[in-house]
Each structure stands twice: as C-alpha cells, then as structure tokens.
Amino acid sequence: MDKDTGSKISAFFQDIMHDLYSSLYLAIGGDLEEESRDWASRGVELASTTIKIVILLLIVSFLYWLIIYIAERYQQRLKISDKRLSITRSTLRYIWFVSCVLAVMSQINVEPATVSATAKASIWAGIYYVLWTSSEQVISRVLKHYGLNASIEQLLKNVFSVLIIVLGLASVMAQFGFDIVSLVAGLGILGLAVGFAAQSTIANFISGITILLEQSFKVGDWISIDENEGRVILISLRTTHILTRDNITVIIPNATVASSEVTNLTSKNFIRFDIRARIALEADIEQARKVIMQVLDETENILKRPEPLATVDHISDFGTVFIIRYWVKPAAVARMPVIKETLHEKIKIGFEKEGINIPYPHMKLVMPANLKASDIEAQLQPLQPSSTHSPSDTNK
C-alpha cells in the first residue's frame, strides 16, 4: 500500500469521526457555529433536561396510577360498573400517554406552536375515537327503537365509521397547518382516477347499498342464488356471504346478487314443501293416504297447522302417484333434505307394514288359460336358434 492510498483512507475515517462528533454535539443542544465546543456545559444541560423529563413523567404517572387506584378502591361506593371502569381506565391511559409526549416535547426545545398543535390534535383524536367506539351502540339503540333490521344497522355502522375516520383525520391534520380544502380536491381527482380503474368494486359497493336498502333479504334468511343455497351470514358493502348446509361459506359479489334471481325461503312465517310417493294401481288409495298422514303427524318439524295434504297427483303406467304437501317453520329449512329423506323412509316402511305394494317397472306375459304346453313350445320354436347349423354355417 503506497503513502497516498493510506492518507486517503485516513482522511476518510477522519471525516466519519468528525461527522459523528458534530452530530453528537448537535444532539445534546450544541451549535456548530460556536468557536469552541463546550462539552461540559452541554452535558450539564442535557442532564438537567433529562432530570426534568423524568420528574414530569413521574408526576404524570403518579397522578394516573392514583386516580386508577381511587376508582378501583371505591368502585362499589361510587357505583361504577365494570364497563364504566374499563372506559375510565382507557381514557386515563390515553391522557397519560398524551401528557407524557407533551412533557417530553416541551423539554427538548420543540417550538411552542408544534406543542400546541400536538395537544389540540390529541384532543380531537380522542373525541373522534370516543365517537367511533360509541357509534355502534348509539346506532343499535336507534334502530332497535324504530324496528329496523340488522342489514340496515350494518350499513349505517359502516358509513358512520368511514365518516368519523375521515373527519377525524381531517381535524387532526388541520391542527398542523394542512390545507384540508386542497387535500379534499386532490382526493376528488384521485377518486375519479381510481373509480375508472375499479369499476367492478364500485358496482359491488352500489349494489350492496341497494340490497341493504331494499331489504329483499337480510342476515339470517335462507336464500337461493343461482346454484348456491344457504343462510345469509353477512351483507357487506362489496359482497354477500352465505353459509351452505355443508358448512361452506360462499362469497358472492353484490353486483352478481343484484342481477340474479334470488329466492328467499324464509321471508314468511312458514314454508310449504312437497314430495311424491307411488303405490300400485290395485292398491287402496284411502289406506295409503292414512299411512302417509300418520307418518306426517309423527314426523318432527312438520306443522299441524296449516294441515298437510296427501292427494293423487296423477296415475302413471306403473302406479298411482301421491303428492304430499307439508309446512315447516323457517328454522327447519336448513334440515329440509334430511326431513325429506326421513319421510321417504318412513312412508316406505309404513306401506310395507300395511301390505301396500310399491310398483317398479316390469313386464308381465299373459297367456290364454286354455293354451296347451305343446302350443306354447310351437309358438316359441321360431324364436329359438336352430341347432342343426354348424358354427361355420352360422358365420356364412
């Protein structure tokens, strides 16, 4: 290594040490324009500032823990519920945190205007946080008073949450000198650009609001959309979630829901379903009806009023076909396949006990009673293959 290279490396490390030296001096409150750097006085100032900060933090923390102790100690006497005590503790914790931040800022030569803006922003942030946390309870009480359903409640909660967050951010930023009007205008232009790029999302959003306002179905209803059938568990602003009988959650975009044919199976107090059963043509219809009605009466979830019915739907080539109509409550719709399968099984068992035949496709050959066996063999003879031909003759 030559002498020039060594001098360059040495100069490089000297520059680094000088920058670190200057940065450290600035960190403890020094001024680089001073002719001589007084490390002792700066160290004393730093130690004094640190002690002041520690004292302020101890005072604030002591007041915080004192109030918490009094509230917990005299909770019964002051008649403070556990919920209110939890809210009080959270509020005091927030005030303690903000006070600690302001105490530190006031001692590290932060401009008074910045400290004041931080204090105002903290107050606004606390107010909007209280509004955000209490908005759900307020909306729930109002909707319960007017008897609106859970879907509208969910829509209003989402709208108010977004509105409170936007207003809170605007209020906090305004304390630090941001031009909210210009910011809103810029967001409007940005919103147009995003709108063109996310047309499907906006379509789902608008469709979600339409679904919630029309109330064609709500959370808890059992609906059928195209090939999907299940219970509605969530109607958000973008998608609708339904839970199928197989415990599978199907997420459908709201635009698809709005443009599809939706069947609400639980919109009324009871729903009618039907199954079919077949008996032989020679079987007694009244006896079969009695068996069917007894099965319906003994089956769980089938209502007695309105009364179930068992009538002849049509007469087919292989038997008499019954159509069995019955009513169930909305809560039983989820178990409908099991109910139908149980009915089919019980009806078959009941028919077998009563000796009622259940027909199936078959062929019956009827011969005249006076026909002799020789005549039958003569008639069947042309249908039998000839045994006089050899295999070689057959293949020719």
Side-chain angles (χ1 to χ4, degrees):
M1 183 183 300
D2 55 5
K3 188 177 294 185
D4 293 337
T5 304
S7 60
K8 290 180 180 179
I9 294 175
S10 177
F12 173 74
F13 283 105
Q14 287 178 1
D15 292 338
I16 293 177
M17 294 301 297
H18 181 269
D19 292 339
L20 291 175
Y21 180 82
S22 301
S23 300
L24 182 60
Y25 192 70
L26 285 173
I28 62 175
D31 188 359
L32 296 179
E33 296 181 357
E34 296 177 358
E35 295 182 359
S36 60
R37 299 179 180 180
D38 189 358
W39 284 90
S41 60
R42 298 304 177 189
V44 171
E45 292 180 4
L46 179 61
S48 176
T49 302
T50 303
I51 293 173
K52 292 178 182 178
I53 291 174
V54 171
I55 292 174
L56 289 174
L57 294 179
L58 289 176
I59 292 174
V60 173
S61 300
F62 173 75
L63 292 175
Y64 166 73
W65 290 111
L66 179 63
I67 297 174
I68 292 294
Y69 174 77
I70 293 173
E72 292 179 349
R73 181 66 181 272
Y74 299 98
Q75 179 181 358
Q76 301 295 334
R77 185 177 300 180
L78 297 175
K79 297 181 179 180
I80 301 176
S81 62
D82 293 337
K83 184 177 181 180
R84 291 183 178 180
L85 181 62
S86 177
I87 295 174
T88 302
R89 189 184 293 108
S90 300
T91 303
L92 291 174
R93 189 182 298 113
Y94 177 75
I95 295 174
W96 168 79
F97 176 76
V98 173
S99 301
C100 291
V101 173
L102 295 177
V104 173
M105 293 177 64
S106 64
Q107 299 299 321
I108 58 175
N109 297 327
V110 177
E111 295 183 1
T114 304
V115 177
S116 177
T118 304
K120 294 178 180 179
S122 301
I123 293 174
W124 280 111
I127 292 173
Y128 279 103
Y129 178 76
V130 172
L131 290 176
W132 181 69
T133 54
S134 60
S135 61
E136 292 189 3
Q137 297 180 356
V138 174
I139 292 173
S140 298
R141 291 180 180 178
V142 172
L143 295 182
K144 185 178 180 180
H145 177 73
Y146 288 100
L148 298 179
N149 58 35
S151 301
I152 299 298
E153 179 180 350
Q154 189 175 20
L155 171 62
L156 292 178
K157 285 181 180 179
N158 293 335
V159 172
F160 272 97
S161 296
V162 173
L163 184 62
I164 290 173
I165 291 174
V166 171
L167 292 177
L169 290 175
S171 300
V172 170
M173 294 175 66
Q175 305 306 317
F176 294 97
F178 287 93
D179 188 358
I180 303 301
V181 177
S182 300
L183 181 61
V184 170
L187 290 176
I189 297 173
L190 180 62
L192 290 176
V194 173
F196 284 110
Q199 295 182 11
S200 61
T201 302
I202 295 176
N204 290 326
F205 178 81
I206 297 175
S207 299
I209 294 177
T210 304
I211 292 170
L212 292 172
L213 292 178
E214 288 183 350
Q215 302 185 44
S216 55
F217 60 87
K218 60 184 183 297
V219 174
D221 285 346
W222 192 277
I223 64 173
S224 175
I225 303 176
D226 295 333
E227 297 180 356
N228 300 305
E229 181 178 327
R231 190 179 306 280
V232 180
I233 58 175
L234 176 64
I235 304 176
S236 64
L237 293 178
R238 194 183 67 86
T239 57
T240 296
H241 299 202
I242 63 174
L243 185 67
T244 66
R245 292 187 177 92
D246 299 326
N247 201 32
I248 298 174
T249 302
V250 180
I251 303 174
I252 307 174
N254 286 332
T256 302
V257 176
S259 60
S260 301
E261 180 179 337
V262 180
T263 303
N264 191 342
L265 300 176
T266 55
S267 59
K268 304 300 180 182
N269 293 331
F270 38 81
I271 311 100
R272 192 181 74 177
F273 293 90
D274 60 73
I275 61 172
R276 283 168 172 76
R278 187 169 56 183
I279 62 174
L281 290 173
E282 63 273 11
D284 188 347
I285 293 178
E286 289 301 325
Q287 185 183 9
R289 182 183 287 112
K290 182 178 179 181
V291 172
I292 294 172
M293 297 304 295
Q294 183 178 358
V295 169
L296 292 174
D297 185 65
E298 295 175 352
T299 302
E300 188 181 1
N301 295 319
I302 293 182
L303 300 178
K304 305 300 185 295
R305 292 288 184 277
E307 294 182 359
L309 295 174
T311 57
V312 175
D313 183 39
H314 65 278
I315 299 175
S316 66
D317 296 337
F318 298 101
T320 303
V321 179
F322 276 93
I323 180 169
I324 304 163
R325 299 182 175 94
Y326 55 93
W327 301 81
V328 298
K329 288 286 188 181
V333 174
R335 300 186 64 251
M336 189 48 55
V338 177
I339 295 175
K340 289 185 176 182
E341 293 161 4
T342 303
L343 285 176
H344 282 298
E345 181 179 346
K346 289 184 176 180
I347 290 173
K348 182 179 184 302
I349 294 174
F351 284 168
E352 291 176 350
K353 287 183 178 179
E354 296 296 327
I356 300 174
N357 294 327
I358 300 176
Y360 54 89
H362 62 280
M363 180 179 293
K364 185 176 182 181
L365 187 62
V366 180
M367 294 291 186
N370 57 354
L371 190 64
K372 297 180 180 180
S374 58
D375 297 332
I376 296 176
E377 292 179 359
Q379 291 182 9
L380 295 178
Q381 189 68 27
L383 301 178
Q384 295 178 357
S386 176
S387 58
T388 58
H389 295 165
S390 62
S392 60
D393 296 334
T394 304
N395 295 332
K396 290 181 180 180

